[in-house]
Amino acid sequence: MKPMRVLSVVSEIYPIIKTGGLADVAGALPVALKAAGVDIRSLVPGYPAVMAALERAECLHETPAFGGASRLLAGSAGTLDLFVLDAPHLFARPGNPYLSPEGVDWPDNGLRFAALARMAWHIGIGGVSSFEPDIIHAHDWQAALAPAYLHYGSQRRPKTVLTVHNLAYQGIFPRQIIEEIGLPAESFTIDGVEYYGDVSFLKAGLQFADAITTVSPTYAREIQSDEGGMGLGGLLRARSGVLRGILNGIDTDVWNPATDPSISQRFSLHTIDDRSANKMALQRRFGFEPDDSALLLGVISRLTPQKGLDLLLDCIPTLLKEGMQLVLLGSGEADLQDRFEAAAKANPKQIGATIGFDEALAHQIQAGADALVVPSRFEPCGLTQLCALRYGAVPIVSAVGGLQDTVRDVDETDRGQATGFTFKPVTSAELSAALRRARSVFQDKAAWRWLQTNGMSTDVSWRGRARQYAEVYSQIAGEGAA
């Protein structure tokens, strides 16, 4: 029997181009699915970084694309098999995939990602004879029009899966975009792509995908509520029969403390004592006195209200009083950046902040921090706490979404299963209490070592998760072609 053929449609993909966890998933999941026997290729925009990384490119198709010429290229980049939408008028520009160098949305983002979804439609209806997919797997709003294009077409089509990585980003554009992107006028209804008088790309995908997944079981439940659904809770409740939460994994080859070239001292579950050298190196990097008795907290995050870092700022007095240290790596809202930099300037021996992103430093924080703090107000899955488990950094997290699904609180389970600290409700008072609990347990070195070894023994890889995606593909493909 021939393997299942899947076209993954995504707006960013690690290690080529990355703004967040979506890219990590898009880069790692195909590799795991191949190991599970799935024939998968990824369709991505032809950003400059993608064009530079593409190897053995072959032009399969040329077509106009919303104001300019485009080509569909096939090639590879490392272990990734790619289709690339090469449309220079849409993608050959500076900045990240969604924002100009000035940090504002590109005004034609609707056209840019409608073009990506429309190319997925072209491939889906047989536009590439050498690869006719059984499944189109669209990720987030940037790819979510693909199920709508297929729904409103008259051709026999593959089945579709939409994965919601973060419901807060919905791809909302003015009504007049309907004509520009080639959807029929009748699509602008409450049962189509209409959303409070505008067009929502994400709603379109939620409406028409044959299966919907999101990145943790708890988040799948949360988004069906009026509060967590962010305007789409009713639709998600109506489609609950096709909605499933599948936890993200991480690439355990990239995130492997035994082989990591970015850290000062490599270590494993069996040589965990060697980990202490990374803590000392991290303390020195941030100008702290090396002190094994100080609980060293790490944060690797976007600085936004969602991530709850304002709550951590409220806890600075607790942190200082308890003799803790904090190192932060991240960027985002200017006010939060300024406040963390000010806290570091005022307390240089206990707080350090690096604004921006540095992949090597992210690895060093995971390897050297005693604990990783993730106080998100909502969190679809989260990847940093999975990396923390892998590296022996004990997670301190809010009990929401995938954080709740992946961290077992020391006070709510037996010692053999505990991996960290959770808190709820998501307030500065509860976070402060969790930090104090962590400090208390940290003073018991044997108990802390239990938490570290339990975390490092946890399977955070894509192996089991990829099999769950393969099950979704097989289930909907078995229902017959549409």
Side-chain angles (χ1 to χ4, degrees), residues 151-446:
H151 172 82
Y152 288 109
S154 59
Q155 302 89 348
R156 183 179 183 275
R157 65 174 182 85
K159 295 291 187 174
T160 55
V161 178
L162 173 67
T163 294
V164 178
H165 295 263
N166 192 334
L167 198 70
Y169 302 98
Q170 300 182 4
I172 298 174
F173 301 97
R175 173 178 183 165
Q176 56 266 30
I177 201 172
I178 286 284
E179 294 182 2
E180 298 178 77
I181 63 179
L183 283 175
E186 60 265 27
S187 68
F188 192 75
T189 68
I190 192 171
D191 295 321
V193 304
E194 186 271 338
Y195 181 78
Y196 297 100
D198 290 319
V199 173
S200 167
F201 284 22
L202 185 63
K203 185 207 170 184
L206 295 174
Q207 188 78 52
F208 297 119
D210 296 298
I212 302 166
T213 69
T214 191
V215 291
S216 71
T218 294
Y219 191 60
R221 293 190 296 272
E222 291 172 346
I223 61 176
Q224 294 179 62
S225 68
D226 290 337
E227 180 182 4
M230 300 183 178
L232 294 168
L235 174 57
L236 287 160
R237 288 193 295 273
R239 303 223 64 207
S240 61
V242 300
L243 172 61
R244 178 175 177 179
I246 300 174
L247 274 172
N248 280 339
I250 59 172
D251 187 328
T252 51
D253 290 328
V254 172
W255 293 97
N256 184 355
T259 59
D260 194 332
S262 297
I263 64 178
S264 297
Q265 177 64 53
R266 297 172 186 174
F267 63 97
S268 69
L269 176 63
H270 305 294
T271 59
I272 195 170
D273 286 340
D274 292 341
R275 190 180 187 279
S276 60
N278 295 295
K279 177 175 179 177
M280 293 178 64
L282 192 61
Q283 289 172 320
R284 290 193 183 97
R285 173 166 181 157
F286 281 90
F288 305 161
E289 289 295 327
D291 181 359
D292 191 54
S293 67
L295 177 61
L296 177 57
L297 307 174
V299 172
I300 306 166
S301 179
R302 286 184 290 113
L303 304 184
T304 66
Q306 175 203 334
K307 298 297 184 178
L309 274 305
D310 55 312
L311 305 179
L312 184 58
L313 284 163
D314 293 341
C315 295
I316 293 295
T318 297
L319 187 155
L320 297 173
K321 181 180 178 181
E322 295 286 339
M324 303 178 199
Q325 298 171 336
L326 170 68
V327 295
L328 174 138
L329 170 64
S331 63
E333 295 194 1
D335 177 64
L336 289 172
Q337 292 183 170
D338 292 345
R339 291 174 67 190
F340 273 108
E341 287 187 313
K345 184 177 181 180
N347 304 280
K349 296 301 182 183
Q350 286 182 261
I351 301 175
T354 296
I355 302 303
F357 188 73
D358 181 327
E359 187 76 22
L361 179 55
H363 286 244
Q364 292 159 19
I365 292 173
Q366 295 285 15
D370 295 304
L372 191 87
V373 184
V374 191
S376 303
R377 288 183 166 87
F378 68 92
E379 191 62 67
C381 180
L383 298 178
T384 55
Q385 85 279 8
L386 301 181
C387 299
L389 292 169
R390 175 87 164 142
Y391 276 64
V394 176
I396 303 171
V397 305
S398 52
V400 299
L403 301 175
Q404 179 174 307
D405 291 334
T406 54
V407 179
R408 294 181 177 272
D409 190 276
V410 67
D411 289 343
E412 297 177 4
T413 188
D414 64 64
R415 189 173 72 166
Q417 295 181 321
T419 56
F421 303 85
T422 66
F423 66 94
K424 199 171 184 178
V426 187
T427 65
S428 54
E430 290 298 322
L431 172 57
S432 184
L435 293 174
R436 289 194 298 270
R437 282 201 297 137
R439 173 71 178 119
S440 176
V441 176
F442 180 71
Q443 292 175 315
D444 182 341
K445 296 303 182 185

Side-chain angles (χ1 to χ4, degrees), residues 115-134:
L116 181 70
R118 193 162 179 82
M119 185 55 74
W121 163 83
H122 171 77
I123 298 171
I125 62 172
V128 177
S129 60
S130 60
F131 188 86
E132 296 187 14
D134 303 293

Side-chain angles (χ1 to χ4, degrees), residues 38-88:
V38 176
D39 182 4
I40 183 167
R41 302 188 190 185
S42 300
L43 171 64
V44 297
Y47 310 118
V50 171
M51 299 302 295
L54 190 63
E55 304 167 2
R56 298 183 294 278
E58 174 190 3
C59 181
L60 303 179
H61 180 67
E62 296 185 20
T63 186
F66 306 144
S70 74
R71 301 183 299 162
L72 176 64
L73 306 178
S76 61
T79 59
L80 298 170
D81 294 321
L82 300 179
F83 289 124
V84 175
L85 176 57
D86 177 27

Side-chain angles (χ1 to χ4, degrees), residues 29 32-33 36 38 246 462-471 473:
L29 180 55
L33 283 167
V38 176
I246 300 174
W462 273 108
R463 286 185 294 272
R465 280 82 157 176
R467 285 194 293 270
Q468 292 180 61
Y469 276 106
E471 289 170 5
Y473 300 155

